[in-house]
Amino acid sequence: NAGVTQTPKFQVLKTGQSMTLQCAQDMNHEYMSWYRQDPGMGLRLIHYSVGAGITDQGEVPNGYNVSRSTTEDFPLRLLSAAPSQTSVYFCASSLGGTQYFGPGTRLTVL
Amino acid sequence: GESVGLHLPTLSVQEGDNSIINCAYSNSASDYFIWYKQESGKGPQFIIDIRSNMDKRQGQRVTVLLNKTVKHLSLQIAATQPGDSAVYFCAEKESGYSTLTFGKGTMLLVSP
């Protein structure tokens, strides 16, 4: 199993650009989630999904969209990037509580 | 190191010492707790978990203690090694919910 994979590893955007961060898992986990990690802030939940076709907002959802058309994939979309979205983004998946994390995407918005 | 370490509480120990990392949680309805380790440039990695019907759980060189009375969780690492240097996060989950709430983390620095 590859576990949780994320692409790209690094991305630089200009303010106002849009992009999609990709996340995939091959463990047949129902639950998937997106976090952002900023210095001194720990991990903050952006959006999550408890199964295909179901998504919900986390603690900091503004400026981000998600969809879950398959069990394996959970992309995160930035509609109009802002400097405040400069962060490291982690995707995670879970079957029964314990979440397993991907390697992260470091995003810089200029 | 990774920018996530800025402004975090830091525990510095010598190689071979035992380390204790503490975490206070706020939700008395939480019934599942996890410790994660995050090395520089990597995603959080599961270390050990404990459910609220237990006070203590041991793994390989690690022990988690749960005190529900004061809502406190600790991670003990025996014979700490330089490879244990990382940021450690606790996380809690409330019964009936699927989301985790993470603490802000503690940086562990191990000197040879």
Side-chain angles (χ1 to χ4, degrees):
Chain A
N1 285 352
V4 180
T5 58
Q6 291 183 239
T7 56
K9 291 190 187 304
F10 302 94
Q11 183 70 51
V12 178
L13 294 176
K14 295 181 180 178
T15 296
Q17 286 185 314
S18 62
M19 80 157 296
T20 299
L21 307 186
Q22 302 291 344
C23 174
Q25 53 91 9
D26 61 359
M27 299 175 282
N28 203 32
H29 287 172
E30 291 294 329
Y31 179 90
M32 296 185 74
S33 55
W34 275 102
Y35 295 88
R36 60 177 289 172
Q37 186 173 44
D38 302 295
M41 299 292 290
L43 288 152
R44 292 186 293 169
L45 182 65
I46 304 172
H47 285 284
Y48 66 98
S49 168
V50 297
I54 306 169
T55 63
D56 209 341
Q57 296 181 348
E59 179 186 355
V60 288
N62 292 342
Y64 307 95
N65 274 0
V66 291
S67 60
R68 186 91 180 273
S69 56
T70 67
T71 299
E72 293 78 18
D73 301 296
F74 191 44
L76 178 72
R77 297 185 186 85
L78 281 70
L79 305 175
S80 178
S84 61
Q85 293 178 305
T86 292
S87 189
V88 182
Y89 292 84
F90 289 101
C91 178
S93 73
S94 166
L95 188 58
T98 304
Q99 293 189 20
Y100 297 93
F101 286 82
T105 295
R106 180 177 288 277
L107 176 68
T108 301
V109 183
L110 302 176
Chain B
E2 183 70 17
S3 60
V4 68
L6 289 175
H7 312 301
L8 287 177
T10 300
L11 175 65
S12 297
V13 301
Q14 294 284 328
E15 182 178 1
D17 287 352
N18 296 331
S19 302
I20 300 176
I21 300 171
N22 296 305
C23 177
Y25 65 94
S26 58
N27 188 353
S28 57
S30 292
D31 68 345
Y32 180 62
F33 305 88
I34 309 172
W35 279 101
Y36 285 92
K37 172 186 180 183
Q38 187 176 25
E39 296 174 281
S40 180
K42 297 183 178 180
Q45 177 185 7
F46 170 85
I47 302 174
I48 192 168
D49 59 0
I50 188 168
R51 298 203 175 271
S52 59
N53 60 352
M54 303 174 69
D55 297 323
K56 179 180 179 179
R57 189 164 189 223
Q58 288 184 292
Q60 188 176 13
R61 280 201 309 118
V62 294
T63 301
V64 55
L65 298 177
L66 176 61
N67 185 329
K68 295 180 287 294
T69 302
V70 295
K71 295 200 284 288
H72 184 268
L73 194 67
S74 68
L75 176 70
Q76 299 178 0
I77 304 174
T80 314
Q81 303 167 359
D84 294 326
S85 293
V87 176
Y88 290 80
F89 293 96
C90 64
E92 58 181 299
K93 189 177 85 67
E94 182 177 342
S95 175
Y97 290 82
S98 50
T99 58
L100 291 177
T101 301
F102 285 82
K104 289 185 169 43
T106 297
M107 177 172 283
L108 176 65
L109 296 175
V110 183
S111 306

